[in-house]
Amino acid sequence: MGTDNGKAIDPGKCPLCGQGNACASAANEPPGACWCAGEKFPPGLFDLLPPGTRNKACICQACLKAYAARRI
Ligand SMILES: [Zn+2]
């Protein structure tokens, strides 16, 4: 109850940039169907997430690529 400071977390949006993350599980598809199933997520990427958003919404492919390419 009220643990998210009133901010609704949209599981279909990237917590870093706010764009759609194209997450399969947010679209009620099997998690294995998601694009992220074939990607590697560097542990440091999750350190960039605002507190309370971890495991709530997926990071989008653009942010994953940006992090991998030039470490945002
Ligand atoms: Zn993003």
Side-chain angles (χ1 to χ4, degrees):
M1 248 198 255
T3 49
D4 292 330
N5 296 328
K7 257 192 174 174
I9 295 169
D10 185 341
K13 286 198 176 144
C14 171
L16 288 176
C17 68
Q19 302 296 308
N21 57 20
C23 181
S25 60
N28 287 321
E29 287 174 39
C34 192
W35 62 267
C36 68
E39 300 281 352
K40 283 201 169 72
F41 288 81
L45 183 53
F46 296 100
D47 292 338
L48 301 175
L49 293 177
T53 62
R54 283 194 202 200
N55 301 319
K56 295 249 167 65
C58 286
I59 293 164
C60 75
Q61 203 162 13
C63 282
L64 174 63
K65 288 236 158 71
Y67 184 84
R70 41 190 177 87
R71 314 207 134 237
I72 52 173

